[in-house]
Amino acid sequence: MPDSAPPPKREAARPFDFEPGTLVDVFRHGLELNPDRKALTYRHDDGTWRSLTAGEAAERIRHISRSLLAGDLEPGDHVAILSNTRMVWALGDWACILSGLVVVTVYPTLPADQVLYILKDSGAKAVFVEDGDQLAKVLQVHDRLEKLSRVVVIDPPEDDPVVDHAGLHVRSLDQVERAGRSVGGRDDEWPDAAAAVQPEDTATLVYTSGTTAQPKGVMLSHHNLFTNTLAATMVLPISEEDRVLSWLPLSHTFERLAGHYLMWYSGAEIAYAESVTTVARDMVETGPTFVVGVPRLYEKFYDAVMAAVEEGGAAKKVIFRAAKWVGDRRADRILARRPVGRALEGAYGVAERLVFRKLHERTGGRVRFFVSGAAPLSAEIARFFYSGGLIVLEGYGLTETSPVTNVNPPDDVRFGSVGPPVAGTEIRIADDGEILIRGPQIMQGYYGRPEATREVISEDGWFHTGDIGELDPDGYLRITDRKKNILVTAAGKNIAPQPIEELIARSPYVEQAVLLGDRRKFPLALVVPSFQAYKTAFPGRPISESDMEELEDDPDLQSLMDEEVLSRVSSCARHERPKRVLITGCQFTVEGGELTPTLKVKRRVIEQRYAERIEEIYRLVEAEGEPCA
């Protein structure tokens, strides 16, 4: 739980120069800390948790590496990984890194045509695929991939043996490892390619989400990721005593840096969740001390706790509210650097036994820190966790920044902020509010797109993030919105939709919310109602979740949504408040095309999909002659 003593006053960040380094250095450092430590833990098919030591993992990585280089691959070639997060993803990534190969990450949720785009654009010569389903995507498009020659299947279908396909060399991972064992060399000897890797070499291509255009391949060098790993260790106190639960997509730089490279370098154990749907169970079973997550994880945790309180009796509600009040008062004093006091500390001890201990048990009982990134975290939820003794350190970064640029330090958390810049990072705010960043983590550029690179990186090295933000006097950064997301009303007034969408989505009756209305007289809110909340509000109505689309014209649901949304945005400026609420029963998903693989909203796709209904709303309001501003 948060220390009751006031944290020491932070000194201003100082310039820091990193020595040149590579991910090979990161790997060797983690291995040499203790080859016998538990390094990679996974859930076996029989339901038990099993582990590889660092030495055992290194041996498997060495075999995969030797096998890759014994074929037609050479250092500098591009190799893709098309798989969910799992222990073998890490083995394949390290094997490529130590072979001097460039890793191209591909989200496993992407359909075949988008997989084709990334493999073709990157010029991948080989690809690791997770299973038969992912293999099928590659086989469906491989005739349009001139450079692709090899496929490695991690989990081949039992009833469908792995065979070459129309000139494509297809092997299982087991076959690849066995082939690597037969290649000459000592067991402790790495390929010459590992020693030849240089800091300026490209380590990976990570494709952007493509919210407004075709995805672009972000080139990150070994030095980019090496320095970002070291910068993260200077803020986050990770050691061999820690265990992280890895569950976010390793295809994205956030999990790859924070849950993969950082943990290996620091000697921490990495436990891999069985899937994104089993995170809550796996957290309890593995007992992590450190969890990297996105706001949705913490929102679901918060909503589950609040729902349990509401369903409890009157006494349970009183106890919870009293405990929360005590936790909030204690948090206020700690954050204000004031002594907590004996009486309040004693009351907190009671609150911990009656309420907060149960919160800790839901997370496995050992969590020291959570890290949140990829999207803004509600200050209300961050405070809730902190008051209960679970610290969430919100950070910030982009794929193009390797990704970490900012993170809240454990000894000086500030809710609603993403913290000060990490070592070596400079930040300034442009005249139009855009956040500019300069440092050793800035990408090499967009693969094959020099003009696009020049558009975002100035001649003196400042990267234009496309995000809008502000710095406080202590250098803490607060993100207010995406520059490209800003809505401009017909009256010329700017609206940052993200904070307003957060307010609306905090309603227990709203599952998802998007603010629309660029160049219009007023904004409107498109919302997806929560099925569980609908059943609570209208208990006598038999309906299944698949029937929610039929309720889009339900006047009772419309009235409920109007009341919820408009009450949530009452604190916003008049021109920012949505004047109408449009209901859809279809959730926004990656598969449906409304969300990117990193769960960012594709506003243009949604606007086009609901264009007729949106136009109808504006026509009706215009006909009614209501004031719009």
Side-chain angles (χ1 to χ4, degrees):
M1 65 183 176
D3 192 349
S4 59
K9 185 173 179 58
R10 294 187 75 256
E11 296 182 2
R14 298 173 180 171
F16 189 93
D17 291 326
F18 291 94
E19 293 293 328
T22 69
L23 286 175
V24 176
D25 298 322
V26 169
F27 179 81
R28 284 175 170 160
H29 181 274
L31 177 61
E32 291 167 2
L33 282 175
N34 180 4
D36 297 323
R37 66 178 173 86
K38 280 186 178 181
L40 308 179
T41 296
Y42 61 100
R43 190 181 181 90
H44 193 265
D45 292 341
D46 63 10
T48 62
W49 289 92
R50 302 187 183 182
S51 300
L52 293 181
T53 66
E56 290 168 340
E59 182 179 5
R60 292 189 63 181
I61 291 165
R62 188 182 296 111
H63 293 151
I64 298 170
S65 174
R66 286 176 174 172
S67 182
L68 293 175
L69 293 177
D72 59 348
L73 296 176
E74 298 178 353
D77 285 340
H78 294 183
V79 177
I81 302 180
L82 176 58
S83 168
N84 285 290
T85 294
R86 50 189 295 165
M87 184 266 290
V88 182
W89 201 109
L91 299 183
D93 182 59
W94 281 126
C96 291
I97 292 297
L98 292 159
S99 301
L101 299 167
V102 178
V103 177
V104 181
T105 61
V106 188
Y107 288 97
T109 54
L110 293 179
D113 63 328
Q114 293 184 40
V115 171
L116 167 65
Y117 173 83
I118 292 175
L119 295 182
K120 188 176 184 64
D121 187 76
S122 66
K125 291 185 67 174
V127 57
F128 285 79
V129 298
E130 183 172 17
D131 52 24
D133 291 339
Q134 301 298 345
L135 174 61
K137 292 180 186 177
V138 174
L139 296 182
Q140 182 180 336
V141 301
H142 91 279
D143 59 332
R144 284 170 280 175
L145 296 168
E146 296 178 1
K147 292 189 177 181
L148 188 68
S149 61
R150 302 179 67 180
V151 179
V152 178
V153 187
I154 296 171
D155 279 337
E158 293 183 4
D159 56 349
D160 187 10
V162 173
V163 295
D164 291 347
H165 186 89
L168 198 60
H169 186 78
V170 184
R171 294 291 182 270
S172 70
L173 182 62
D174 286 342
Q175 290 173 317
V176 169
E177 287 194 54
R178 286 198 300 271
R181 293 191 188 97
S182 65
V183 176
R186 299 197 318 268
D187 288 343
D188 61 348
E189 187 176 53
W190 291 97
D192 292 340
V197 171
Q198 298 298 310
E200 64 273 14
D201 291 345
T202 301
T204 189
L205 285 181
V206 182
Y207 277 75
T208 59
S209 301
T211 54
T212 58
Q214 282 280 32
K216 298 184 287 291
V218 175
M219 298 186 293
L220 299 179
S221 71
H222 278 264
H223 190 63
N224 287 151
L225 293 162
F226 170 79
T227 56
N228 211 231
T229 299
L230 266 61
T233 67
M234 297 177 186
V235 184
L236 303 174
I238 307 299
S239 72
E240 294 179 56
E241 303 300 317
D242 283 298
R243 175 187 295 152
V244 66
L245 181 69
S246 178
W247 65 279
L248 291 176
L250 278 165
S251 309
H252 193 265
T253 49
F254 181 34
E255 179 67 25
R256 194 166 170 201
L257 190 289
H260 179 39
Y261 297 142
L262 171 62
M263 295 302 152
W264 179 274
Y265 180 87
S266 302
E269 178 186 353
I270 305 172
Y272 295 91
E274 185 175 5
S275 72
V276 294
T277 63
T278 63
V279 171
R281 181 204 69 190
D282 296 341
M283 201 179 297
V284 172
E285 292 185 3
T286 60
T289 61
F290 194 88
V291 178
V292 179
V294 291
R296 191 58 182 152
L297 172 70
Y298 310 114
E299 290 167 1
K300 285 187 174 182
F301 186 98
Y302 175 85
D303 291 342
V305 170
M306 300 309 291
V309 171
E310 288 301 314
E311 292 171 3
K316 185 175 182 179
K317 293 179 183 178
V318 170
I319 292 171
F320 177 83
R321 288 167 184 162
K324 189 174 184 302
W325 185 91
V326 169
D328 286 342
R329 301 291 79 73
R330 180 176 178 274
D332 288 341
R333 294 193 181 184
I334 293 173
L335 295 170
R337 306 179 186 281
R338 294 167 50 201
V340 172
R342 186 176 301 175
L344 183 55
E345 197 63 66
Y348 186 84
V350 175
E352 185 180 27
R353 289 193 297 274
L354 295 178
V355 175
F356 298 142
R357 183 174 296 173
K358 296 175 183 177
L359 303 184
H360 285 259
E361 290 172 354
R362 286 181 176 227
T363 65
R366 300 178 62 228
V367 172
R368 295 194 301 121
F369 302 107
F370 289 101
V371 168
S372 180
L377 176 67
S378 162
E380 174 190 356
I381 291 179
R383 172 176 287 277
F384 168 79
F385 274 84
Y386 192 95
S387 298
L390 294 168
I391 304 177
V392 182
L393 306 175
E394 187 174 8
Y396 171 70
L398 303 94
T399 303
E400 292 90 338
T401 61
S402 300
V404 184
T405 66
N406 296 69
V407 65
N408 271 278
D411 63 352
D412 199 357
V413 177
R414 301 190 187 180
F415 306 133
S417 158
V418 295
V422 297
T425 304
E426 299 176 80
I427 294 181
R428 74 182 189 194
I429 306 299
D431 292 341
D432 61 356
E434 184 177 10
I435 301 164
L436 309 182
I437 296 173
R438 185 166 64 180
Q441 71 272 63
I442 302 303
M443 67 170 179
Q444 295 174 305
Y446 295 119
Y447 183 66
R449 290 173 170 78
E451 290 186 7
T453 301
R454 286 192 291 270
E455 288 176 3
V456 296
I457 301 179
S458 65
E459 291 184 2
D460 53 352
W462 288 99
F463 172 68
H464 291 245
T465 65
D467 286 326
I468 303 297
E470 55 194 30
L471 292 165
D472 73 10
D474 295 324
Y476 278 64
L477 178 66
R478 190 170 73 89
I479 313 297
T480 56
D481 215 303
R482 285 289 295 171
K483 186 175 180 180
K484 292 181 180 179
N485 281 352
I486 297 297
L487 307 180
V488 182
T489 68
K493 295 181 179 180
N494 289 356
I495 302 174
Q498 194 166 274
I500 301 169
E501 291 165 350
E502 281 184 38
L503 288 173
I504 297 172
R506 290 308 321 136
S507 166
Y509 295 99
V510 176
E511 187 72 26
Q512 294 169 306
V514 177
L515 197 71
L516 303 171
D518 191 43
R519 310 296 172 183
R520 303 282 192 167
K521 291 184 178 180
F522 63 88
L524 63 83
L526 177 63
V527 300
V528 180
S530 163
F531 174 65
Q532 293 300 326
Y534 179 84
K535 291 201 304 181
T536 301
F538 307 106
R541 303 186 182 184
I543 188 172
S544 66
E545 191 165 5
S546 60
D547 296 329
M548 286 296 287
E549 194 171 353
E550 299 176 9
L551 299 176
E552 292 176 352
D553 298 320
D554 185 326
D556 293 331
L557 179 59
Q558 185 68 58
S559 178
L560 174 63
M561 289 293 101
D562 288 345
E563 181 179 351
E564 278 295 309
V565 171
L566 299 180
S567 65
R568 293 273 166 176
V569 301
S570 60
S571 61
C572 299
R574 188 181 179 195
H575 73 277
E576 295 177 326
R577 301 174 204 159
K579 192 173 182 63
R580 289 290 186 272
V581 178
L582 178 61
I583 297 173
T584 175
C586 299
Q587 286 209 12
F588 308 139
T589 64
V590 175
E591 294 75 14
E594 301 93 352
L595 302 179
T596 71
T598 53
L599 305 185
K600 293 183 178 69
V601 170
K602 293 184 177 180
R603 241 169 254 280
R604 290 181 183 175
V605 171
I606 290 175
E607 286 178 339
Q608 292 171 0
R609 195 153 293 175
Y610 294 92
E612 290 187 13
R613 296 183 64 196
I614 291 170
E615 288 296 335
E616 181 65 18
I617 285 181
Y618 283 110
R619 279 198 299 269
L620 288 174
V621 174
E622 189 75 25
E624 292 167 2
E626 295 185 31
C628 297

